[in-house]
Amino acid sequence: MIERVRVAVVGVGNNTSALVQGLALYRQSGSLVGIRRPVIDGLGVGDIDIVAAFATSTEKIGRDLTEAIFLAPNNFPRLDCDLPKAGVPVTKGLVDASEVQRVAAALAGAEVLLYSAPSGRPETARAYAEAARTAGVAFINTTADPVARDPQLLGSFETAGLPLLGDDLASQFGTSVLHNALLRLLQERGLTLVSSYQVNLGGTEDFRNLVENPNTKKQSKLNALSAADKVEVAPLGYLPHLASQKVAHLNLEAQGWGETAVSLDVKLKVHDPSGAAGVNIDLIRIAASALRNGRGGHCAEATSLLKSPPGTAI
């Protein structure tokens, strides 16, 4: 029987709530609804154990993980599953780079560290990556902060035989994925793009944070889009009443035969944390498989799951 993947998570927000609840739901139901790849290198969706969790919220520190994921400001809904205590108390997260050794020690027993804290804190993201490397653990950066795009850091993980996946996950069915598909469709059908834009509105703490720290996220979104020179990504909008839902508006203006106008407007509404969990479940298994096979650095099979893989703009 294959050994289950032991995962530590940084950030006990909505994305972690969606992941933890989803793992319980799929184990109990046996459903494959919303699953892109039921098995990756022998690892099923239920073959994941969360063994450690880090957060900076004083309300969450010390709580069992399955209690902490429901504390405010988290607003991802409760899924229809039984969720017994995990036996994993939330640990105080890294405050500054001097605590790398403490975090590395707390990673004993983990194989993969999933960094799911808010974007806009590049020093913190790199410090957790250093802790993972020190502990001999694979690292996944789900944020827009440049970690895997740092050639020196990526090289150090390659040398150590440790996977480093990032940066910034491409949601399972999010704005960037849909927008890029539409841009490719225009090109494939021979239309000429004139201009395009996207507007994203959401009510999670990540949206609130990104409104205040938008720079790395905007660049990451542009990295994920073809024809980025003709695409505008509007500043993110934070609307608390949307809770964990994201509403996106896309517009494409193009020209067809005879230079006649073509205009397309699309509205997308999704639960943003579900989109993250639907990708994280694959990234975790890819990272674990690579670690177990001694493959360090970036994994090519993860590229399509990321907005800003190594080599893209910072």
Side-chain angles (χ1 to χ4, degrees):
M1 184 175 181
I2 195 162
E3 184 182 357
R4 289 156 75 112
V5 182
R6 303 180 302 280
V7 178
V9 295
V10 176
V12 185
N14 282 306
N15 290 356
T16 297
S17 177
L19 179 63
V20 170
Q21 292 190 72
L23 288 172
L25 183 147
Y26 285 113
R27 282 179 190 152
Q28 293 165 25
S29 69
S31 168
L32 293 178
V33 173
I35 300 297
R36 177 172 177 261
R37 296 178 66 182
V39 179
I40 295 178
D41 293 338
L43 293 166
V45 172
D47 294 329
I48 311 292
D49 288 330
I50 309 295
V51 298
F54 300 89
T56 56
S57 167
T58 55
E59 291 78 13
K60 294 176 182 177
I61 293 170
R63 297 286 193 102
D64 189 86
L65 178 60
T66 55
E67 297 174 347
I69 59 175
F70 295 113
L71 296 178
N74 289 12
N75 50 25
F76 183 72
R78 287 180 179 262
L79 301 182
D80 186 17
C81 62
D82 294 327
L83 198 64
K85 284 191 174 184
V88 177
V90 177
T91 301
K92 181 181 178 182
L94 186 151
V95 176
D96 58 58
S98 67
E99 296 188 299
V100 165
Q101 292 297 330
R102 174 180 68 82
V103 171
L107 290 173
E111 293 179 280
V112 176
L113 179 58
L114 178 70
Y115 184 74
S116 190
S119 293
R121 303 171 185 173
E123 297 83 6
T124 302
R126 290 192 185 97
Y128 271 109
E130 293 286 358
R133 187 183 62 178
T134 299
V137 171
F139 189 76
I140 301 170
N141 177 33
T142 72
T143 77
D145 298 322
V147 176
R149 284 171 287 169
D150 180 334
Q152 185 174 355
L153 189 56
L154 181 62
S156 70
F157 270 76
E158 289 174 347
T159 300
L162 299 172
L164 173 59
L165 307 187
D167 299 312
D168 201 9
L169 58 83
S171 183
Q172 189 175 20
F173 195 77
T175 316
S176 297
V177 169
L178 178 59
H179 200 168
N180 205 36
L182 291 171
L183 290 170
R184 289 200 309 269
L185 181 61
L186 286 182
Q187 185 177 36
E188 289 169 5
R189 303 306 296 175
L191 280 76
T192 300
L193 179 69
V194 175
S195 64
S196 183
Y197 67 79
Q198 63 169 260
V199 178
N200 293 275
L201 308 170
T204 65
E205 278 297 286
D206 198 40
F207 261 86
R208 184 187 66 78
N209 174 71
L210 287 169
V211 167
E212 299 170 359
N213 301 284
N215 293 338
T216 56
K217 189 67 174 181
K218 181 174 181 178
Q219 182 59 59
S220 187
K221 280 184 169 290
L222 289 172
N223 287 345
L225 299 172
S226 58
D229 59 324
K230 294 184 178 181
V231 177
E232 180 62 31
V233 177
L236 296 171
Y238 173 60
L239 298 176
H241 74 272
L242 289 177
S244 70
Q245 294 185 100
K246 176 173 74 176
V247 177
H249 298 274
L250 305 175
N251 169 266
L252 293 89
E253 301 294 333
Q255 289 182 316
W257 175 263
E259 300 184 353
T260 55
V262 176
S263 182
L264 176 65
D265 288 283
V266 178
K267 176 182 177 182
L268 172 68
K269 189 173 184 179
V270 295
H271 277 280
D272 210 29
S274 290
V279 173
N280 281 335
I281 190 64
D282 287 1
L283 290 173
I284 288 169
R285 291 179 292 168
I286 290 170
S289 176
L291 179 72
R292 293 174 180 184
N293 287 285
R295 292 191 292 130
H298 179 64
C299 299
E301 60 268 41
T303 299
S304 65
L305 304 176
L306 302 162
K307 287 192 183 81
S308 296
T312 54
I314 296 176

